[in-house]
Amino acid sequence: MRKLQAEIQGRRTEAAVYAVLSQGGAAAATMTPVDTSTLINSHFVEIKADGNKVTGRNGYTARYAAAVHDAPGTLKGQPRTDFGRTGNQSEYGPMRPVAFGGGTGVGDYWDPNAEPQFLTKGFDQIAADVPRILRNAYRAFDRRS
């Protein structure tokens, strides 16, 4: 019995937590904004086992990920306008014009399926399925053993 309990608390539970995280991450990926693919390619899943507790994290390592996740999405579908350049005069004399930034002039902001709060919404989509995902993960582990 102790051996079974240790196994359930260990590899089986880690596999079950991973199953939930991967399903939630997959749902989130369909709503993640994609421009250069840096954000979507920075996705990670982390599982930690500490004694008889297993925790998991799902996220993105791109440094701007939190800002995009929390963005209101008000520019969704609008063209990426080129904002132009600064003037070439200052009170100190001529200067080199510099691009304002923020607009590439190519494509639209966000993509058609992108959603603000994409990671949260991805896990909200699978919340009702979590018991089934866990059950299937534990059963699949039993079949492999």
Side-chain angles (χ1 to χ4, degrees):
M1 192 61 139
R2 284 189 187 126
K3 182 179 175 187
L4 179 60
Q5 180 183 8
E7 189 176 306
I8 289 171
Q9 289 174 335
R11 296 181 328 166
R12 286 181 185 207
T13 298
E14 289 176 28
V17 169
Y18 181 80
V20 172
L21 292 175
S22 64
Q23 292 282 325
T30 65
M31 295 179 269
T32 302
V34 178
D35 180 20
T36 62
S37 298
T38 300
L39 179 61
I40 194 79
N41 288 334
S42 75
H43 177 257
F44 73 90
V45 172
E46 175 185 80
I47 297 177
K48 286 186 179 180
D50 184 16
N52 54 356
K53 180 172 88 171
V54 176
T55 58
R57 284 188 333 145
N58 197 323
Y60 299 87
T61 59
R63 64 188 162 103
Y64 58 87
V68 174
H69 183 266
D70 296 339
T74 54
L75 293 176
K76 182 177 178 174
Q78 295 182 21
R80 289 181 180 270
T81 309
D82 184 354
F83 297 128
R85 298 182 160 294
T86 60
N88 60 1
Q89 284 291 335
S90 77
E91 61 185 277
Y92 305 107
M95 54 186 257
R96 195 175 93 231
V98 177
F100 279 113
T104 61
V106 178
D108 293 337
Y109 284 103
W110 295 56
D111 28 304
N113 298 326
E115 292 284 336
Q117 302 286 316
F118 48 90
L119 192 54
T120 303
K121 288 179 181 179
F123 279 88
D124 287 347
Q125 274 187 3
I126 69 150
D129 295 330
V130 169
R132 180 189 52 77
I133 295 168
L134 291 172
R135 225 178 4 263
N136 289 344
Y138 278 108
R139 285 182 184 149
F141 199 94
D142 283 340
R143 286 191 295 271
R144 286 190 304 234
S145 299

